[in-house]
Amino acid sequence: MPPIASSRPAPSAPTHRLLTSPAGRIHLVEQGSGPLVLLLHGFPESWYTWRHQLPALASAGYRAVAIDVRGYGRSSKPEAVEAYRMLELVADNVAVVEGLGERSAVVVGHDWGATIAAMSTLTRPDVFRAVGLLGVPYTPPGGPRPSEVFARMRGAGEPETPGAERPGSEETGVGGAPRDQPRPHEFYVSYFQQPGRAEAEMEPDVRGWLAGFYAALSGDTMPAPGAPDPHFTGAGGTLRECFPVGVLPSWLGERDLDVYAGEFERTGMTGALNRYRNMDRDWADLAGWAGQPITRPSLFVGGERDASLAWLADAVKAYPETLPGLLGAHVLDGCGHFVQQERPAETNRILLDWLASLPA
C-alpha cells in the first residue's frame, strides 16, 4: 500500500474530531491524508500514546487517525459494564472508518488495542485489510474460560491451589485463607474484575499510580529479577506496592504524565477497567470464530523485556498457523511493554516499511 511518492509538503497539525458511533461518540486525532491507518491504544492510555506515530505516518503520505477507545478520554463512557465487550468496540472502529468517509483501513493496536485490532480484522475483514499488533501477540478466540485461567495464576513462589479462584466466606479471604492473613498474590486481570475494587487503589492518586505502572512495565525502569512482580498484587492486596517508586521511564516526561493523568483524573478509571470485566462475555460472543486465523496481512512488534512475550510464547510460535499473512515479526532488544513510546523511531521505521509492502 505505498503512497504515491512525491516531494509533498510537511503535513498540517493534528486535528481533533468527534464522530458518532454505537458508543455515542468517539474522539479522534487525525493527521495527514492518503490511505487510512487507524491507531488503537491500550490500558491505561489514550490517543496520546501515538503522538510519535501520527506525524511520521502523515509525513509518509498516510491518513493517520488515533482514537480514544470508548470509556477513555473524550469518547463516550457508557455506564453498563457489558457495553465494553469486544464486539461493541469493533462496531466503534467500523463506525469511525465509515464516519471518515472511507471504505477500509489498516488497523494498528498496542496492548488491549492490539487485541481489539486483531478481533476487528478477524470479524470484519471486509473493512480492515491489514493489522499491526504491538506488544500483545494474537491468540485466536476459544480455549478455556478466561476468568478460570486468570484465577489460577499466582505470583512467583505462590502455589496454584484448588479453589483459589473462589472468593472466600465471611471468615476467609481469597483461596480460603483467614482474613487476618495476607491474601495469596493475585494476577492483575483477576484483581481488575470486581467493579470498584481497583478504582479504590488508583483514583485517590491517579498521577502517582500511573507513574508507578508505566515505570513497572518499561524496559529501563522495571523491577529487577527477583523483585516482586508488578503484574500480581502484593501481600497487602494492591498492585502499587510492587511498583518502582520515584522514577520515570526515559520515554515519559512530566508533561506526558500530566496528559495521561489529567484525562483519568477527569474521567475516572472505570471505563478503562471495564474492558477487563468483559473477557468472559467476549469468550462467549466470539465462539463462532474459535480457533480461526487472521488471513489478512499482519505485523507483530514486541519488546524483549515485555512479560507478554513470555506468557504468550506459544502464541508467537503458532504464528504460521494463526497469522498466515504475517509479513514481519520484530522483537526490540531491551524494550519493555510500551513499544511505540519506548522506541518511537524504530517502531516508525518498522511500521512504514510494512505499510509500504502492503498491496494497494
Side-chain angles (χ1 to χ4, degrees), residues 13 28 56 76 83 132 138 141 162 169 204 236 249 259 272 301-302 346 348:
L28 60 84
S76 289
Y138 173 62
S169 68
V259 172
V301 185
E346 195 169 357
N348 291 349

Side-chain angles (χ1 to χ4, degrees), residues 151-165 174-175 184-186 232:
R152 290 194 296 270
M153 296 182 71
R154 290 290 178 266
E158 290 287 343
E160 292 187 6
T161 55
E165 67 273 17
V174 174
H185 291 183
E186 183 177 8
F232 294 83

Side-chain angles (χ1 to χ4, degrees), residues 1-3 37 52-62 299 344-358:
M1 189 191 72
V37 181
H52 303 296
Q53 285 67 52
L54 286 167
L57 292 171
S59 294
Y62 297 97
L299 170 75
E346 195 169 357
T347 300
N348 291 349
R349 178 185 58 77
I350 292 169
L351 285 174
L352 291 173
D353 288 348
W354 173 66
L355 289 168
S357 75
L358 297 177

